[in-house]
Amino acid sequence: MLVFWKARLVLLAVPKTGTTALEATLAPHADAAIVNPPGLKHCTVRKYRRELAAFFEQKGRRPMELVATVREPIDWLGSWYRYRQRAALDGQPNSTADVRFDAFVTAYLADPQPDFARVGAQAQFLAGGVDHLFRYGDGALVPFLAERLGLEIDLPRMNVSPAGALDLSAETEARLRRERPEEFRVWNEAGRG
């Protein structure tokens, strides 16, 4: 999470949406950069409003605008799936090394979720709303930040999930859309800056 006090912006770090590259590039220009622990780095909208807003916004005297990016839900799950296939997780409960993507999505829909499929939800992360919500990969977030911050921004590629097959059956995709409509609703509402 990056706080730009003069620009009155807080850039939230929605997991698996390219925020590591944004942090690496913009942290030197931020008034506050919370990159650890992960629970604070990936501070949800509700947690920000409940625990941090009063501090950064001087108890309401200097309101901040929240900025976030969201990824298409199947692509977002695919990124998590591929990320958890890396060798460093071999043998760990959250490894997806021996799991097909279709089985990963099915496990994501389970209650309770097994460790390897427990990745949260973008809609839950963003519950409470942000002022500016951008779609991952559409190219609109960087120009917005460049203008608001008065910077030229050239993002490196960082924390990219390894390549891997993302075969998803029509039945599993239909179930995902039926059981997690809020994830697709957030995606469809994004991009209105």
Side-chain angles (χ1 to χ4, degrees):
M1 180 175 73
L2 300 177
V3 178
F4 302 95
W5 196 76
K6 291 175 187 169
R8 296 187 183 205
L9 289 178
V10 175
L11 178 61
L12 298 173
V14 180
K16 306 308 291 168
T17 63
T19 53
T20 300
L22 285 167
E23 285 172 359
T25 302
L26 298 178
H29 306 283
D31 297 294
I34 302 173
V35 296
N36 275 306
L40 285 179
K41 171 185 175 171
H42 297 296
C43 180
T44 66
V45 170
R46 285 186 177 143
K47 185 171 187 164
Y48 171 81
R49 293 192 197 284
R50 184 179 63 243
E51 299 177 17
L52 300 174
F55 178 74
F56 287 117
E57 298 180 12
Q58 298 183 328
K59 297 184 180 177
R61 291 190 307 272
R62 189 172 173 82
M64 305 288 271
E65 296 174 43
L66 298 182
V67 181
T69 186
V70 66
R71 195 165 180 164
E72 191 281 327
I74 297 170
D75 185 45
W76 182 76
L77 287 170
S79 183
W80 271 114
Y81 169 75
R82 292 188 319 271
Y83 182 70
R84 289 187 168 184
Q85 287 192 324
R86 66 194 195 283
L89 294 180
D90 283 352
Q92 300 297 316
N94 60 345
S95 173
T96 58
D98 297 321
V99 179
R100 293 179 351 270
F101 182 58
D102 200 90
F104 172 78
V105 174
T106 299
Y108 175 75
L109 296 170
D111 186 18
Q113 295 169 324
D115 289 342
F116 70 84
R118 197 172 300 128
V119 296
Q122 293 181 107
Q124 190 174 27
F125 186 101
L126 295 165
V130 297
D131 300 290
H132 307 279
L133 184 60
F134 294 90
R135 286 182 169 194
Y136 172 86
D138 77 354
L141 175 61
V142 171
F144 170 83
L145 291 171
E147 181 181 325
R148 287 292 297 268
L149 301 175
L151 298 171
E152 284 190 31
I153 300 173
D154 185 26
L155 291 181
R157 286 187 49 90
M158 299 179 71
N159 200 28
V160 177
S161 298
L166 297 177
D167 299 323
L168 189 62
S169 70
E171 296 82 16
T172 302
E173 180 177 343
R175 181 178 170 208
L176 176 65
R177 290 178 181 279
R178 185 175 61 250
E179 294 183 19
R180 299 294 168 91
E182 66 281 359
E183 296 300 308
F184 293 93
R185 187 169 34 254
V186 167
W187 168 252
N188 290 331
E189 291 171 358
R192 300 184 184 146

